[in-house]
Amino acid sequence: QAWFEESGGGLVQPGGSRRLSCTSSRVTFSRTTMAWYRQAPGNERELLAHITDDDRPRYADSIKGRFTISKDNAKNTVYLQMENLNAEDTAAYSCNYYSNIPRYLSKWGQGTLVTVSS
């Protein structure tokens, strides 16, 4: 069983919005710092945002002001609300424990693919 399960991806028109969800049956999100990452074809995985156990968010400069990370502890779910999407946001999006060097992480889920295209 995967440690993390992401959902919510799909085809989005430029300028559109999408909300991604991440759940886990193995990790209690209220007790740890969780993060969203993405990996575009040919690129390394990129840290986008993280949220601490006490709900303090931080964002990468590349998505600041467009993406919002949040958490629902009752549902053990972390969200990534994405606004004003563009083609450069096309990628596979995944959640995991927070790390500023994501290649050192393991236990990746399947991820969810977001394609921004008209």
Side-chain angles (χ1 to χ4, degrees), residues 27-46:
V27 178
T28 301
F29 293 163
S30 63
R31 299 177 182 174
T32 189
T33 297
M34 289 298 298
W36 278 99
Y37 306 84
R38 71 182 176 189
Q39 187 168 23
N43 291 354
E44 287 201 4
R45 187 170 272 129
E46 174 190 10

Side-chain angles (χ1 to χ4, degrees), residues 4 6 9 11 17 24-26 30 35 44 53 59 62 64 67 71 80 94-95 104 107 111-112 114:
F4 305 105
E6 302 91 348
L11 178 63
S17 303
S24 177
S25 61
R26 297 186 175 210
S30 63
E44 287 201 4
D53 56 349
Y59 300 96
S62 61
K64 195 176 294 183
F67 292 11
K71 179 157 58 86
L80 186 69
S94 301
C95 65
Y104 291 165
K107 302 179 176 63
T112 187
V114 175

Side-chain angles (χ1 to χ4, degrees), residues 51-72:
I51 186 164
T52 64
D53 56 349
D54 58 347
D55 291 344
R56 288 178 289 124
R58 293 291 185 272
Y59 300 96
D61 289 341
S62 61
I63 55 88
K64 195 176 294 183
R66 294 193 300 124
F67 292 11
T68 302
I69 190 171
S70 62
K71 179 157 58 86
D72 184 333

